Amino acid sequence: MKELISRAVELAEIVKKQEEVLVVSHIDADGITAASIAKKALEDYGIEAKVRFVKQLEKFEIEKIKDENKFIWFTDLGSGHVSHLADLDFIISDHHVPIGRHERQLNPHDFGMDGSIEMSGAVATLMVANRLSHDESLGELALVGSVGDLQDSRYGKLVGFNRKLLQFLDGKLVEIQKDVRFFGKQTRPIVKMLEYNIDPLIPGLTGDEASCVRFLSSLQVDPWVRWIEISKEEKRRIISAIVRHCINFGLGYDEIKRIAGECYILLRNPEGCEKRDAMEFSTLLNATARYGEAEVGMAVCFGDEKAFSRARTLLQNHRKNLAEGLRIVEEMGIKELKYVQYFHAGREIRDTIIGIVAGMSLVRNPKKPIIAFAESERGIKVSARATYKLVDSGLNLGKALRASAEAVGGSGGGHSVAAGALIPYGSEEKFLQILDEIVAKQLQNRTLSMSSPP
Ligand code: C5P
Ligand code: ZN
Protein backbone atom coordinates (compact mmCIF):
# COMPACT_ATOMS: atom_id res chain seq x y z
CA MET A 1 0.00 0.00 0.00
CA LYS A 2 2.81 2.39 0.94
CA GLU A 3 4.59 1.57 -2.31
CA LEU A 4 1.43 2.12 -4.30
CA ILE A 5 0.99 5.57 -2.80
CA SER A 6 4.62 6.51 -3.39
CA ARG A 7 4.24 5.42 -7.03
CA ALA A 8 1.19 7.68 -7.33
CA VAL A 9 3.15 10.60 -5.83
CA GLU A 10 6.11 9.97 -8.17
CA LEU A 11 3.88 9.90 -11.24
CA ALA A 12 2.02 13.03 -10.16
CA GLU A 13 5.36 14.84 -9.75
CA ILE A 14 6.30 13.90 -13.31
CA VAL A 15 2.96 15.18 -14.61
CA LYS A 16 3.24 18.45 -12.68
CA LYS A 17 6.33 19.37 -14.73
CA GLN A 18 4.36 19.29 -18.00
CA GLU A 19 2.71 22.22 -19.74
CA GLU A 20 0.52 20.10 -21.93
CA VAL A 21 -0.65 16.49 -21.63
CA LEU A 22 -2.46 14.19 -24.04
CA VAL A 23 -4.68 11.76 -22.12
CA VAL A 24 -5.20 8.52 -24.06
CA SER A 25 -7.98 6.36 -22.73
CA HIS A 26 -10.14 3.31 -23.37
CA ILE A 27 -13.61 3.53 -24.94
CA ASP A 28 -15.73 2.22 -22.12
CA ALA A 29 -17.30 3.56 -18.93
CA ASP A 30 -14.12 2.99 -16.92
CA GLY A 31 -12.03 4.65 -19.63
CA ILE A 32 -14.36 7.64 -19.91
CA THR A 33 -14.42 8.26 -16.17
CA ALA A 34 -10.64 7.75 -15.98
CA ALA A 35 -10.07 10.29 -18.77
CA SER A 36 -12.50 12.76 -17.19
CA ILE A 37 -10.69 12.48 -13.85
CA ALA A 38 -7.29 13.01 -15.48
CA LYS A 39 -8.50 15.96 -17.58
CA LYS A 40 -10.20 17.71 -14.67
CA ALA A 41 -7.19 17.24 -12.39
CA LEU A 42 -4.75 18.49 -15.04
CA GLU A 43 -6.87 21.57 -15.70
CA ASP A 44 -7.28 22.25 -11.99
CA TYR A 45 -3.49 22.22 -11.76
CA GLY A 46 -3.18 24.60 -14.70
CA ILE A 47 -1.96 22.08 -17.27
CA GLU A 48 -3.49 22.03 -20.72
CA ALA A 49 -5.18 18.69 -21.38
CA LYS A 50 -6.46 16.99 -24.51
CA VAL A 51 -8.15 13.59 -24.53
CA ARG A 52 -8.19 10.85 -27.13
CA PHE A 53 -10.22 7.65 -26.87
CA VAL A 54 -9.06 4.46 -28.56
CA LYS A 55 -10.58 0.99 -28.87
CA GLN A 56 -7.25 -0.66 -28.21
CA LEU A 57 -3.70 0.52 -28.01
CA GLU A 58 -2.67 -1.15 -31.23
CA LYS A 59 0.59 -0.48 -33.07
CA PHE A 60 -0.93 1.99 -35.51
CA GLU A 61 -2.44 3.99 -32.62
CA ILE A 62 0.91 4.08 -30.86
CA GLU A 63 2.57 5.32 -34.07
CA LYS A 64 -0.03 8.10 -34.38
CA ILE A 65 0.52 9.08 -30.76
CA LYS A 66 4.30 9.15 -31.23
CA ASP A 67 3.90 11.56 -34.16
CA GLU A 68 2.25 14.10 -31.88
CA ASN A 69 5.35 14.47 -29.77
CA LYS A 70 3.43 15.16 -26.56
CA PHE A 71 3.61 13.92 -23.00
CA ILE A 72 1.05 11.11 -22.67
CA TRP A 73 -1.05 9.97 -19.71
CA PHE A 74 -2.45 6.56 -20.56
CA THR A 75 -5.56 5.81 -18.51
CA ASP A 76 -7.36 2.44 -18.28
CA LEU A 77 -4.95 1.05 -20.88
CA GLY A 78 -1.24 0.91 -21.60
CA SER A 79 -0.07 -1.82 -19.23
CA GLY A 80 -0.36 -4.45 -21.94
CA HIS A 81 1.87 -2.42 -24.27
CA VAL A 82 4.75 -0.92 -22.28
CA SER A 83 7.30 -2.67 -24.49
CA HIS A 84 6.08 -0.62 -27.48
CA LEU A 85 6.22 2.74 -25.72
CA ALA A 86 10.00 3.10 -25.55
CA ASP A 87 10.28 6.39 -27.49
CA LEU A 88 7.48 8.10 -25.61
CA ASP A 89 7.39 10.30 -22.53
CA PHE A 90 4.45 9.00 -20.54
CA ILE A 91 2.80 7.71 -17.39
CA ILE A 92 0.23 4.91 -17.13
CA SER A 93 -2.62 4.46 -14.66
CA ASP A 94 -4.21 1.17 -15.64
CA HIS A 95 -5.55 -2.04 -14.10
CA HIS A 96 -5.32 -4.56 -16.94
CA VAL A 97 -2.90 -7.43 -16.43
CA PRO A 98 0.50 -5.85 -17.19
CA ILE A 99 3.11 -7.55 -19.38
CA GLY A 100 5.87 -6.35 -17.10
CA ARG A 101 6.79 -3.84 -14.46
CA HIS A 102 7.58 -0.26 -15.38
CA GLU A 103 8.54 2.66 -13.18
CA ARG A 104 6.12 4.95 -15.00
CA GLN A 105 3.17 2.63 -14.40
CA LEU A 106 0.62 2.56 -11.59
CA ASN A 107 -1.13 -0.80 -11.81
CA PRO A 108 -2.76 -2.67 -8.90
CA HIS A 109 -1.34 -5.99 -10.18
CA ASP A 110 2.20 -4.72 -9.54
CA PHE A 111 1.28 -4.11 -5.91
CA GLY A 112 -0.28 -7.47 -5.08
CA MET A 113 -3.87 -6.56 -5.92
CA ASP A 114 -6.34 -8.07 -8.36
CA GLY A 115 -7.08 -5.35 -10.91
CA SER A 116 -10.31 -6.98 -12.00
CA ILE A 117 -12.07 -6.50 -8.66
CA GLU A 118 -9.95 -4.37 -6.34
CA MET A 119 -9.15 -1.33 -8.48
CA SER A 120 -10.49 0.01 -11.77
CA GLY A 121 -8.63 2.13 -14.29
CA ALA A 122 -10.57 5.16 -13.02
CA VAL A 123 -9.51 4.51 -9.42
CA ALA A 124 -5.88 3.98 -10.47
CA THR A 125 -6.11 7.31 -12.30
CA LEU A 126 -7.70 8.98 -9.28
CA MET A 127 -4.69 8.03 -7.17
CA VAL A 128 -2.48 10.20 -9.35
CA ALA A 129 -5.15 12.87 -10.01
CA ASN A 130 -5.70 13.41 -6.27
CA ARG A 131 -2.21 14.86 -6.10
CA LEU A 132 -3.17 17.49 -8.67
CA SER A 133 -6.71 18.39 -7.62
CA HIS A 134 -8.75 18.29 -4.44
CA ASP A 135 -12.08 18.07 -6.24
CA GLU A 136 -14.07 15.43 -4.32
CA SER A 137 -16.41 14.77 -7.22
CA LEU A 138 -13.54 12.96 -8.94
CA GLY A 139 -14.03 10.16 -6.39
CA GLU A 140 -17.65 9.82 -7.44
CA LEU A 141 -16.60 9.39 -11.08
CA ALA A 142 -13.99 6.81 -10.10
CA LEU A 143 -16.69 4.80 -8.35
CA VAL A 144 -18.80 4.87 -11.52
CA GLY A 145 -15.74 3.59 -13.40
CA SER A 146 -15.33 0.63 -11.04
CA VAL A 147 -19.00 -0.29 -11.30
CA GLY A 148 -18.86 0.17 -15.08
CA ASP A 149 -16.04 -2.34 -15.14
CA LEU A 150 -18.27 -4.78 -13.18
CA GLN A 151 -15.75 -4.81 -10.32
CA ASP A 152 -18.65 -5.21 -7.86
CA SER A 153 -20.22 -8.16 -9.63
CA ARG A 154 -18.07 -10.95 -8.22
CA TYR A 155 -19.13 -10.41 -4.60
CA GLY A 156 -22.20 -8.21 -5.12
CA LYS A 157 -20.24 -5.32 -3.65
CA LEU A 158 -17.03 -3.39 -4.15
CA VAL A 159 -13.97 -4.82 -2.44
CA GLY A 160 -10.26 -4.06 -2.04
CA PHE A 161 -9.10 -0.56 -2.81
CA ASN A 162 -12.45 0.25 -4.46
CA ARG A 163 -14.01 -0.25 -1.05
CA LYS A 164 -11.57 2.14 0.59
CA LEU A 165 -12.69 4.81 -1.87
CA LEU A 166 -16.31 3.91 -1.23
CA GLN A 167 -15.87 4.26 2.53
CA PHE A 168 -14.35 7.66 2.00
CA LEU A 169 -17.32 8.82 -0.10
CA ASP A 170 -20.00 7.07 1.96
CA GLY A 171 -22.44 9.44 3.62
CA LYS A 172 -21.05 12.47 1.81
CA LEU A 173 -21.42 11.91 -1.89
CA VAL A 174 -22.55 8.30 -1.99
CA GLU A 175 -25.03 6.14 -0.12
CA ILE A 176 -24.60 2.36 0.03
CA GLN A 177 -27.97 0.62 -0.28
CA LYS A 178 -28.69 -3.08 0.12
CA ASP A 179 -31.13 -3.82 -2.68
CA VAL A 180 -31.75 -5.95 -5.74
CA ARG A 181 -28.81 -5.68 -8.10
CA PHE A 182 -30.99 -5.45 -11.20
CA PHE A 183 -30.37 -2.71 -13.72
CA GLY A 184 -32.80 0.19 -14.09
CA LYS A 185 -34.16 0.87 -10.61
CA GLN A 186 -34.15 4.62 -11.24
CA THR A 187 -35.42 4.80 -14.77
CA ARG A 188 -37.07 1.59 -15.99
CA PRO A 189 -40.52 0.15 -15.26
CA ILE A 190 -40.18 -2.81 -12.86
CA VAL A 191 -41.36 -5.19 -15.55
CA LYS A 192 -38.49 -4.15 -17.84
CA MET A 193 -36.00 -4.33 -15.00
CA LEU A 194 -37.06 -7.92 -14.39
CA GLU A 195 -37.37 -8.90 -18.03
CA TYR A 196 -33.87 -7.68 -18.96
CA ASN A 197 -32.06 -8.89 -15.87
CA ILE A 198 -29.49 -11.56 -16.72
CA ASP A 199 -27.57 -11.97 -13.50
CA PRO A 200 -28.86 -14.40 -12.44
CA LEU A 201 -30.89 -15.61 -15.36
CA ILE A 202 -34.34 -16.38 -13.98
CA PRO A 203 -36.08 -19.14 -15.91
CA GLY A 204 -39.65 -18.23 -16.80
CA LEU A 205 -39.03 -14.50 -16.24
CA THR A 206 -35.84 -13.30 -17.98
CA GLY A 207 -36.62 -12.22 -21.52
CA ASP A 208 -40.37 -12.75 -21.19
CA GLU A 209 -42.37 -9.54 -20.74
CA ALA A 210 -45.78 -11.21 -20.50
CA SER A 211 -44.64 -13.57 -17.71
CA CYS A 212 -43.06 -10.68 -15.82
CA VAL A 213 -46.32 -8.69 -16.06
CA ARG A 214 -48.31 -11.69 -14.75
CA PHE A 215 -45.77 -12.33 -12.01
CA LEU A 216 -45.88 -8.73 -10.73
CA SER A 217 -49.65 -8.39 -11.10
CA SER A 218 -50.15 -11.56 -9.06
CA LEU A 219 -48.27 -9.77 -6.28
CA GLN A 220 -50.59 -6.76 -6.58
CA VAL A 221 -47.76 -4.59 -7.87
CA ASP A 222 -48.13 -2.24 -10.83
CA PRO A 223 -45.57 -3.59 -13.37
CA TRP A 224 -45.24 -0.24 -15.09
CA VAL A 225 -43.97 1.91 -12.22
CA ARG A 226 -40.32 2.15 -11.31
CA TRP A 227 -38.61 0.37 -8.42
CA ILE A 228 -37.90 3.68 -6.67
CA GLU A 229 -41.66 4.45 -6.69
CA ILE A 230 -42.89 1.44 -4.74
CA SER A 231 -42.99 0.94 -0.97
CA LYS A 232 -40.53 -1.08 1.10
CA GLU A 233 -43.27 -3.61 1.75
CA GLU A 234 -43.91 -4.08 -1.97
CA LYS A 235 -40.18 -4.50 -2.60
CA ARG A 236 -39.97 -7.15 0.10
CA ARG A 237 -42.95 -8.97 -1.42
CA ILE A 238 -41.34 -9.00 -4.88
CA ILE A 239 -37.95 -10.12 -3.61
CA SER A 240 -39.33 -13.04 -1.63
CA ALA A 241 -41.50 -14.09 -4.57
CA ILE A 242 -38.48 -13.99 -6.89
CA VAL A 243 -36.46 -16.07 -4.45
CA ARG A 244 -39.30 -18.62 -4.13
CA HIS A 245 -39.63 -18.69 -7.91
CA CYS A 246 -35.87 -19.32 -8.28
CA ILE A 247 -35.95 -22.14 -5.73
CA ASN A 248 -38.89 -23.74 -7.54
CA PHE A 249 -36.92 -23.58 -10.78
CA GLY A 250 -33.93 -25.25 -9.13
CA LEU A 251 -31.49 -22.33 -9.03
CA GLY A 252 -28.65 -22.86 -6.56
CA TYR A 253 -27.73 -20.69 -3.60
CA ASP A 254 -24.76 -19.21 -5.50
CA GLU A 255 -27.08 -17.83 -8.15
CA ILE A 256 -29.93 -16.79 -5.87
CA LYS A 257 -27.62 -14.78 -3.65
CA ARG A 258 -26.66 -12.65 -6.66
CA ILE A 259 -30.17 -11.12 -6.70
CA ALA A 260 -29.43 -8.79 -3.80
CA GLY A 261 -26.30 -6.90 -2.88
CA GLU A 262 -24.93 -3.42 -2.65
CA CYS A 263 -26.05 -0.57 -4.88
CA TYR A 264 -24.40 2.82 -4.95
CA ILE A 265 -26.50 5.97 -4.97
CA LEU A 266 -24.85 9.21 -6.04
CA LEU A 267 -26.53 11.63 -3.70
CA ARG A 268 -25.88 14.83 -5.64
CA ASN A 269 -27.93 13.67 -8.60
CA PRO A 270 -31.75 13.76 -8.50
CA GLU A 271 -33.94 10.67 -8.01
CA GLY A 272 -35.12 9.05 -11.23
CA CYS A 273 -32.05 10.14 -13.20
CA GLU A 274 -29.53 7.70 -14.72
CA LYS A 275 -26.77 9.57 -12.91
CA ARG A 276 -28.28 8.79 -9.51
CA ASP A 277 -27.29 5.11 -9.63
CA ALA A 278 -23.68 4.09 -10.33
CA MET A 279 -24.81 1.08 -12.38
CA GLU A 280 -27.12 3.14 -14.60
CA PHE A 281 -24.62 6.00 -14.89
CA SER A 282 -21.93 3.64 -16.13
CA THR A 283 -24.29 2.02 -18.65
CA LEU A 284 -25.15 5.46 -19.98
CA LEU A 285 -21.43 6.13 -20.49
CA ASN A 286 -20.91 2.77 -22.18
CA ALA A 287 -23.73 3.60 -24.57
CA THR A 288 -21.82 6.68 -25.76
CA ALA A 289 -18.41 5.08 -26.03
CA ARG A 290 -19.50 2.02 -27.96
CA TYR A 291 -20.89 4.21 -30.71
CA GLY A 292 -17.86 6.40 -31.22
CA GLU A 293 -19.18 9.21 -28.99
CA ALA A 294 -17.00 8.83 -25.91
CA GLU A 295 -16.59 12.64 -25.88
CA VAL A 296 -20.32 12.89 -25.20
CA GLY A 297 -19.84 10.56 -22.22
CA MET A 298 -17.00 12.69 -20.95
CA ALA A 299 -19.13 15.83 -21.27
CA VAL A 300 -21.81 14.03 -19.19
CA CYS A 301 -19.15 13.47 -16.50
CA PHE A 302 -18.53 17.22 -16.57
CA GLY A 303 -22.25 17.91 -16.05
CA ASP A 304 -23.16 19.03 -19.59
CA GLU A 305 -26.96 18.82 -19.98
CA LYS A 306 -27.02 18.79 -23.79
CA ALA A 307 -24.58 15.89 -23.78
CA PHE A 308 -26.74 14.13 -21.19
CA SER A 309 -29.74 14.30 -23.47
CA ARG A 310 -27.68 12.96 -26.42
CA ALA A 311 -26.35 10.15 -24.19
CA ARG A 312 -29.90 9.10 -23.30
CA THR A 313 -30.78 8.84 -26.99
CA LEU A 314 -27.66 6.73 -27.53
CA LEU A 315 -28.67 4.53 -24.60
CA GLN A 316 -32.06 3.80 -26.16
CA ASN A 317 -30.31 2.89 -29.38
CA HIS A 318 -27.81 0.73 -27.45
CA ARG A 319 -30.67 -1.21 -25.82
CA LYS A 320 -32.22 -1.90 -29.21
CA ASN A 321 -28.88 -3.08 -30.60
CA LEU A 322 -28.29 -5.44 -27.68
CA ALA A 323 -31.74 -6.97 -28.02
CA GLU A 324 -31.14 -7.33 -31.76
CA GLY A 325 -27.68 -8.84 -31.07
CA LEU A 326 -29.19 -11.46 -28.74
CA ARG A 327 -31.79 -12.32 -31.36
CA ILE A 328 -29.03 -12.80 -33.96
CA VAL A 329 -27.07 -15.11 -31.65
CA GLU A 330 -30.23 -17.09 -30.92
CA GLU A 331 -30.81 -17.49 -34.65
CA MET A 332 -27.28 -18.53 -35.59
CA GLY A 333 -26.79 -20.73 -32.54
CA ILE A 334 -23.76 -21.21 -30.31
CA LYS A 335 -21.30 -23.96 -31.25
CA GLU A 336 -19.32 -25.96 -28.74
CA LEU A 337 -15.77 -27.26 -28.55
CA LYS A 338 -14.57 -29.37 -25.65
CA TYR A 339 -13.72 -26.47 -23.35
CA VAL A 340 -15.16 -23.35 -24.98
CA GLN A 341 -18.32 -22.33 -26.81
CA TYR A 342 -18.40 -19.74 -29.59
CA PHE A 343 -20.36 -17.85 -32.22
CA HIS A 344 -19.29 -15.78 -35.22
CA ALA A 345 -21.41 -12.68 -35.80
CA GLY A 346 -19.58 -11.62 -38.96
CA ARG A 347 -20.70 -8.06 -39.69
CA GLU A 348 -24.10 -8.49 -38.07
CA ILE A 349 -23.07 -7.28 -34.62
CA ARG A 350 -20.84 -4.24 -34.11
CA ASP A 351 -17.36 -5.13 -32.85
CA THR A 352 -17.80 -2.58 -30.05
CA ILE A 353 -20.79 -4.36 -28.47
CA ILE A 354 -19.92 -7.96 -29.31
CA GLY A 355 -18.39 -8.38 -25.83
CA ILE A 356 -21.60 -7.28 -24.11
CA VAL A 357 -23.71 -9.58 -26.29
CA ALA A 358 -21.27 -12.43 -25.53
CA GLY A 359 -21.65 -11.80 -21.79
CA MET A 360 -25.43 -11.79 -22.09
CA SER A 361 -25.38 -15.00 -24.13
CA LEU A 362 -23.22 -16.75 -21.54
CA VAL A 363 -26.17 -17.20 -19.21
CA ARG A 364 -27.68 -19.77 -21.54
CA ASN A 365 -24.78 -22.11 -20.83
CA PRO A 366 -22.47 -20.80 -18.13
CA LYS A 367 -20.41 -24.03 -17.96
CA LYS A 368 -17.93 -23.07 -20.69
CA PRO A 369 -16.37 -19.68 -21.50
CA ILE A 370 -17.97 -18.02 -24.49
CA ILE A 371 -15.93 -16.69 -27.41
CA ALA A 372 -17.52 -14.27 -29.87
CA PHE A 373 -16.13 -13.13 -33.22
CA ALA A 374 -17.09 -10.05 -35.19
CA GLU A 375 -15.54 -8.52 -38.27
CA SER A 376 -13.89 -5.16 -37.75
CA GLU A 377 -12.01 -2.89 -40.11
CA ARG A 378 -8.64 -4.19 -38.88
CA GLY A 379 -9.28 -7.89 -38.55
CA ILE A 380 -11.48 -10.17 -36.51
CA LYS A 381 -12.48 -8.79 -33.13
CA VAL A 382 -12.67 -11.48 -30.46
CA SER A 383 -14.48 -11.06 -27.15
CA ALA A 384 -14.47 -13.69 -24.45
CA ARG A 385 -16.50 -13.90 -21.26
CA ALA A 386 -16.69 -16.44 -18.43
CA THR A 387 -18.17 -16.90 -14.98
CA TYR A 388 -16.28 -16.38 -11.73
CA LYS A 389 -16.91 -20.04 -11.03
CA LEU A 390 -14.71 -20.93 -14.01
CA VAL A 391 -12.10 -18.40 -12.90
CA ASP A 392 -12.06 -20.07 -9.48
CA SER A 393 -11.39 -23.31 -11.33
CA GLY A 394 -8.23 -21.92 -12.88
CA LEU A 395 -9.45 -20.12 -16.01
CA ASN A 396 -7.70 -16.92 -17.04
CA LEU A 397 -9.15 -15.59 -20.28
CA GLY A 398 -6.76 -12.63 -20.46
CA LYS A 399 -3.72 -14.93 -20.55
CA ALA A 400 -5.44 -17.52 -22.77
CA LEU A 401 -6.51 -14.93 -25.34
CA ARG A 402 -3.14 -13.23 -25.40
CA ALA A 403 -1.34 -16.52 -26.07
CA SER A 404 -3.77 -17.82 -28.70
CA ALA A 405 -4.00 -14.46 -30.47
CA GLU A 406 -0.21 -14.13 -30.62
CA ALA A 407 0.04 -17.69 -31.95
CA VAL A 408 -2.00 -16.68 -35.03
CA GLY A 409 -0.31 -13.31 -35.51
CA GLY A 410 -2.78 -11.17 -33.58
CA SER A 411 -2.81 -9.56 -30.14
CA GLY A 412 -5.04 -9.79 -27.11
CA GLY A 413 -5.34 -9.66 -23.36
CA GLY A 414 -7.62 -8.39 -20.60
CA HIS A 415 -8.92 -9.85 -17.37
CA SER A 416 -9.50 -13.39 -16.16
CA VAL A 417 -13.31 -13.19 -16.66
CA ALA A 418 -13.44 -10.84 -19.64
CA ALA A 419 -10.86 -10.56 -22.37
CA GLY A 420 -10.51 -9.58 -25.99
CA ALA A 421 -8.26 -9.94 -29.00
CA LEU A 422 -7.77 -8.85 -32.58
CA ILE A 423 -6.71 -11.62 -34.97
CA PRO A 424 -6.14 -11.79 -38.74
CA TYR A 425 -9.11 -12.54 -41.00
CA GLY A 426 -9.45 -16.27 -41.59
CA SER A 427 -7.49 -17.32 -38.50
CA GLU A 428 -10.57 -18.01 -36.37
CA GLU A 429 -10.45 -21.79 -36.59
CA LYS A 430 -6.79 -22.11 -35.70
CA PHE A 431 -7.24 -19.56 -32.94
CA LEU A 432 -10.12 -21.59 -31.46
CA GLN A 433 -8.14 -24.80 -31.56
CA ILE A 434 -5.21 -23.27 -29.69
CA LEU A 435 -7.50 -21.52 -27.24
CA ASP A 436 -9.40 -24.71 -26.48
CA GLU A 437 -6.10 -26.41 -25.61
CA ILE A 438 -4.93 -23.55 -23.39
CA VAL A 439 -8.27 -23.39 -21.55
CA ALA A 440 -8.11 -27.18 -21.07
CA LYS A 441 -4.68 -26.82 -19.46
CA GLN A 442 -5.78 -23.93 -17.24
CA LEU A 443 -8.77 -25.86 -15.95
CA GLN A 444 -6.76 -29.03 -15.42
CA ASN A 445 -4.15 -27.18 -13.40
CA ARG A 446 -6.78 -25.78 -11.16
CA THR A 447 -6.14 -25.38 -7.51
CA LEU A 448 -9.44 -25.75 -5.73
CA SER A 449 -9.23 -22.69 -3.63
CA MET A 450 -12.17 -21.40 -1.62
CA SER A 451 -12.67 -17.84 -2.75
CA SER A 452 -13.40 -15.11 -0.27
CA PRO A 453 -13.40 -11.36 -0.76
CA PRO A 454 -9.98 -9.77 -0.35
O1 C5P B 1 -13.58 -5.65 -26.12
P1 C5P B 1 -13.97 -6.44 -24.93
O2 C5P B 1 -15.00 -5.77 -24.08
O3 C5P B 1 -14.33 -7.84 -25.23
O4 C5P B 1 -12.64 -6.50 -24.07
C1 C5P B 1 -12.56 -7.19 -22.86
C2 C5P B 1 -11.21 -6.93 -22.21
O5 C5P B 1 -10.16 -7.42 -23.04
C3 C5P B 1 -10.92 -5.46 -21.99
O6 C5P B 1 -10.45 -5.30 -20.67
C4 C5P B 1 -9.86 -5.12 -23.02
O7 C5P B 1 -8.96 -4.18 -22.54
C5 C5P B 1 -9.18 -6.44 -23.29
N1 C5P B 1 -8.73 -6.50 -24.69
C6 C5P B 1 -7.37 -6.61 -25.01
N2 C5P B 1 -6.96 -6.67 -26.32
C7 C5P B 1 -7.85 -6.62 -27.33
C8 C5P B 1 -9.23 -6.50 -27.03
C9 C5P B 1 -9.64 -6.44 -25.70
O8 C5P B 1 -6.54 -6.64 -24.10
N3 C5P B 1 -7.41 -6.64 -28.61
ZN1 ZN C 1 -11.10 -0.67 -17.06
Side-chain angles (χ1 to χ4, degrees):
M1 183 69 182
K2 245 164 103 186
E3 282 116 35
L4 180 73
I5 291 172
S6 23
R7 176 62 55 85
V9 172
E10 278 162 34
L11 297 190
E13 289 309 314
I14 295 169
V15 171
K16 282 179 186 174
K17 296 195 188 98
Q18 313 304 321
E19 281 177 13
E20 194 185 355
V21 171
L22 175 64
V23 177
V24 176
S25 197
H26 194 204
I27 56 146
D28 65 6
D30 191 22
I32 292 178
T33 48
S36 306
I37 291 166
K39 182 173 161 62
K40 179 73 177 27
L42 287 165
E43 285 171 355
D44 283 356
Y45 198 79
I47 300 169
E48 201 182 314
K50 287 209 174 66
V51 176
R52 176 173 313 154
F53 290 98
V54 297
K55 266 191 211 172
Q56 284 305 324
L57 206 50
E58 285 158 38
K59 279 199 188 111
F60 81 98
E61 289 287 1
I62 297 173
E63 290 311 315
K64 268 203 312 206
I65 292 165
K66 279 183 184 164
D67 287 346
E68 298 213 15
N69 221 3
K70 288 202 178 103
F71 182 89
I72 314 293
W73 184 349
F74 292 103
T75 63
D76 193 34
L77 43 68
S79 289
H81 300 86
V82 277
S83 53
H84 302 295
L85 306 178
D87 312 332
L88 274 168
D89 200 6
F90 67 89
I91 65 159
I92 296 173
S93 47
D94 187 13
H95 68 131
H96 292 94
V97 178
I99 51 166
R101 285 174 179 264
H102 195 286
E103 57 186 15
R104 292 281 184 100
Q105 162 176 285
L106 189 151
N107 188 311
H109 293 279
D110 289 346
F111 300 91
M113 288 184 220
D114 179 347
S116 65
I117 53 173
E118 296 186 67
M119 186 186 280
S120 62
V123 174
T125 302
L126 178 70
M127 293 204 65
V128 180
N130 263 344
R131 273 87 203 165
L132 305 170
S133 162
H134 298 296
D135 184 345
E136 284 197 344
S137 71
L138 300 185
E140 238 179 304
L141 287 178
L143 192 78
V144 173
S146 300
V147 172
D149 226 84
L150 306 183
Q151 302 228 329
D152 57 339
S153 84
R154 182 164 195 169
Y155 297 110
K157 62 178 185 182
L158 288 170
V159 298
F161 200 88
N162 285 320
R163 188 139 207 102
K164 286 203 165 57
L165 169 66
L166 179 65
Q167 281 157 351
F168 175 75
L169 300 170
D170 184 21
K172 284 188 278 184
L173 298 171
V174 174
E175 187 182 299
I176 307 173
Q177 285 184 356
K178 290 252 161 65
D179 205 338
V180 288
R181 282 182 42 86
F182 298 164
F183 171 84
K185 294 193 287 291
Q186 297 289 325
T187 60
R188 307 277 282 153
I190 304 174
V191 57
K192 291 286 154 193
M193 189 181 91
L194 203 53
E195 178 189 345
Y196 285 104
N197 172 65
I198 52 156
D199 186 20
L201 178 87
I202 307 177
L205 290 178
T206 307
D208 187 341
E209 185 193 288
S211 297
C212 292
V213 169
R214 276 197 302 277
F215 179 81
L216 292 166
S217 305
S218 74
L219 300 169
Q220 282 84 50
V221 176
D222 179 353
W224 299 101
V225 296
R226 293 168 301 168
W227 188 254
I228 53 165
E229 291 173 291
I230 61 173
S231 67
K232 268 196 181 146
E233 207 288 309
E234 285 173 300
K235 286 180 186 166
R236 223 171 293 142
R237 214 185 306 149
I238 298 174
I239 295 170
S240 30
I242 294 176
V243 171
R244 266 199 314 275
H245 177 98
C246 289
I247 294 171
N248 290 341
F249 273 86
L251 260 70
Y253 170 72
D254 277 353
E255 282 167 295
I256 294 176
K257 76 171 187 215
R258 303 187 66 75
I259 292 169
E262 282 185 0
C263 306
Y264 307 114
I265 303 297
L266 307 181
L267 295 168
R268 291 191 311 156
N269 299 320
E271 281 236 326
C273 165
E274 282 85 352
K275 292 198 285 180
R276 176 88 174 172
D277 177 313
M279 210 191 268
E280 292 197 53
F281 195 158
S282 65
T283 305
L284 184 77
L285 296 181
N286 258 323
T288 65
R290 306 280 164 170
Y291 301 90
E293 297 197 32
E295 284 74 14
V296 171
M298 190 163 72
V300 173
C301 292
F302 281 93
D304 183 326
E305 283 304 317
K306 229 171 114 188
F308 180 53
S309 150
R310 171 73 187 146
R312 290 178 87 177
T313 308
L314 288 168
L315 178 61
Q316 274 175 1
N317 166 54
H318 182 50
R319 270 199 202 111
K320 266 193 226 133
N321 287 341
L322 292 182
E324 175 68 6
L326 284 176
R327 195 193 55 71
I328 290 166
V329 177
E330 182 102 0
E331 238 176 59
M332 65 174 56
I334 298 173
K335 299 185 185 70
E336 287 195 40
L337 296 180
K338 211 156 174 207
Y339 292 93
V340 302
Q341 51 182 332
Y342 70 96
F343 65 90
H344 199 316
R347 287 197 170 274
E348 300 219 27
I349 302 177
R350 258 177 183 264
D351 62 329
T352 52
I353 64 162
I354 188 79
I356 305 176
V357 176
M360 292 169 93
S361 306
L362 182 65
V363 290
R364 300 210 278 143
N365 172 12
K367 295 217 167 76
K368 291 178 185 176
I370 190 161
I371 315 299
F373 299 100
E375 273 182 39
S376 80
E377 69 273 30
R378 303 197 167 270
I380 300 293
K381 168 72 209 298
V382 189
S383 273
R385 298 291 186 271
T387 60
Y388 284 111
K389 211 170 173 176
L390 282 164
V391 170
D392 287 339
S393 304
L395 180 76
N396 187 323
L397 284 177
K399 284 186 183 160
L401 260 79
R402 172 170 296 149
S404 355
E406 283 172 3
V408 297
S411 63
H415 305 293
S416 46
V417 270
L422 190 72
I423 58 171
Y425 297 109
S427 66
E428 295 93 318
E429 212 167 303
K430 190 163 171 223
F431 170 84
L432 274 171
Q433 246 174 29
I434 298 168
L435 181 67
D436 203 44
E437 280 165 26
I438 296 177
V439 170
K441 275 195 200 122
Q442 289 183 342
L443 293 174
Q444 278 151 11
N445 288 339
R446 71 181 171 178
T447 46
L448 274 174
S449 59
M450 290 300 290
S451 69
S452 57

